[in-house]
Structure formats: C-alpha cells, structure tokens
Amino acid sequence: MQLNSARQAWHDCYYQPWDRQGSFIEQLGLLGAMVQATEKQRHASHAVHQVLAGGVQAAISRLPSQLRAFGNFMYAPGCSDDDREAAEEAVFNMAMSRSGRMTAAKVERCEYVAKGVMFRYRRMHQGGQSSAQDPFASPEWFKRWIDEVYGVTLPSCAWARDWEPFVQICFEVCEDLDKRALSPVAAAIYEMKEAA
C-alpha cells in the first residue's frame, strides 16, 4: 500500500486482492473438484500493507457516520447501498440548508439533482487525482441523464436561473464533505510517514 494521497489510501485500505479462497471457488466451479495447490506465502510486504491499512481504517472509523458514508461512496472499492443513501441524504440536506425558499415540486426534483451532482463529482474524482472531466458539464446531458436514470424531467426554460445555482451549491457541499472526510486520513498518512 502506497501512501500517495488520502483518496488512494481510502481505497487501498479496503481493497481485497484476488486470493486463494477465490481461486478455490473458481476451480471448484470449473472442474467440479478441488485442485491441490501450494499455499500463498505471506511476505513482509503483506504485513506492512496490513499495518498501513489498519492506520487508515482507524482514522476512517473515527469519522462521523455521514462523513464516513460519503468517503465510502467516493473511494471505497465496494460501496454499500446504505453508504450511498446516507451520502445522498447528507448532500441533499446540506444543499437545501444553503438554498433559498422553493416550491415543494422543485424540492422534490432537487433531490435528484443532488444525486446527479454526486454521480458527477464521484466520476470527476475517481482514481484519487481529481483529474477526470465532468461527464455531464452540459445542462442538456445532465438533464437527459436524470430523466433516463430516475425518470425525473427538469424544466429547462431558464436553466441558469432555476437549476444552476442549486447544482453549484451541491458541488460546494460535495467539496466540503470531501475535505472533512479526507482530512483525518491525510493526517494519519502524515503521521505514518513521519514515523517511518
């Protein structure tokens, strides 16, 4: 496990490589019988990985549940539906608290806009370097995606007035949650590097 960035460390500390157990199940399914193989040797690098992963996991476990869910949604190799839903709820609630008054119909649609922004934000930051392009930078593509995935149509007569401010607020909320979730992980990485 390399300690290059907090995003990468979050992913790597939960990543489980293809191991002997998976190989055994595959052989059993393909051949209908067990094939004897030598045991996988555990080297010092495996022990070092476990120690580093444990330090990162400890930092993650101390986060408040909403931040932990957001981080897992963004960076964990296997995100649960519970984490995704908790992250979506956190982003939506924070975005609504930063927004002005709006009609009930618009609030209902804003929930799906927040989910769409989270999808966009995740795609832009996957891989740990935050260098990917926004997959739906165009309002037309974003509206089409929300309609296709959630079946919710966003009126587009005045996109810049009606929806763009809320989209921007959702991105700001995602950035705030991201920084708050990654900060303790980055601090743990710094401490581990200093101790080495």
Side-chain angles (χ1 to χ4, degrees):
M1 179 172 162
Q2 296 181 3
L3 301 175
N4 295 332
S5 73
R7 290 180 171 113
Q8 181 183 2
W10 194 304
H11 174 274
D12 291 352
C13 78
Y14 289 117
Y15 178 73
Q16 295 295 322
W18 183 257
D19 63 356
R20 173 118 172 69
Q21 182 67 26
S23 176
F24 168 77
I25 292 170
E26 181 186 37
Q27 288 176 359
L28 193 59
L30 292 174
L31 304 174
M34 186 175 81
V35 176
Q36 183 178 353
T38 58
E39 288 293 319
K40 181 178 179 180
Q41 287 188 321
R42 302 286 186 192
H43 295 288
S45 63
H46 180 75
V48 170
H49 171 80
Q50 288 179 316
V51 169
L52 295 176
V56 173
Q57 288 174 0
I60 293 169
S61 71
R62 290 189 291 270
L63 289 170
S65 60
Q66 287 185 328
L67 292 178
R68 190 171 48 250
F70 184 84
N72 284 337
F73 169 77
M74 289 292 297
Y75 307 114
C79 175
S80 71
D81 287 339
D82 290 339
D83 282 337
R84 179 186 47 78
E85 290 170 2
E88 288 172 349
E89 181 180 347
V91 170
F92 174 68
N93 289 338
M94 286 180 70
M96 291 304 295
S97 71
R98 296 180 185 186
S99 300
R101 292 181 50 192
M102 55 183 81
T103 65
K106 186 171 181 179
V107 169
E108 190 175 308
R109 289 185 179 123
C110 283
E111 180 180 352
Y112 298 100
V113 171
K115 290 178 182 187
V117 169
M118 283 183 63
F119 175 80
R120 291 167 65 181
Y121 190 83
R122 183 180 188 194
R123 292 284 302 268
M124 292 164 59
H125 296 280
Q126 279 182 333
Q129 301 305 316
S130 300
S131 60
Q133 293 185 355
D134 186 348
F136 302 119
S138 159
E140 292 77 26
W141 282 102
F142 186 52
K143 289 184 317 183
R144 183 183 304 166
W145 183 83
I146 289 176
D147 191 25
E148 289 174 1
V149 173
Y150 297 110
V152 175
T153 304
L154 298 177
S156 61
C157 56
W159 177 265
R161 180 193 71 211
D162 294 338
W163 298 106
E164 191 60 38
F166 188 74
V167 168
Q168 186 59 40
I169 289 170
C170 288
F171 270 113
E172 290 168 4
V173 166
C174 287
E175 289 171 5
D176 290 348
L177 289 172
D178 202 13
K179 288 176 189 173
R180 289 173 47 204
L182 292 175
S183 179
V185 175
I189 289 171
Y190 178 78
E191 287 178 19
M192 287 187 274
K193 284 183 175 182
E194 288 295 310

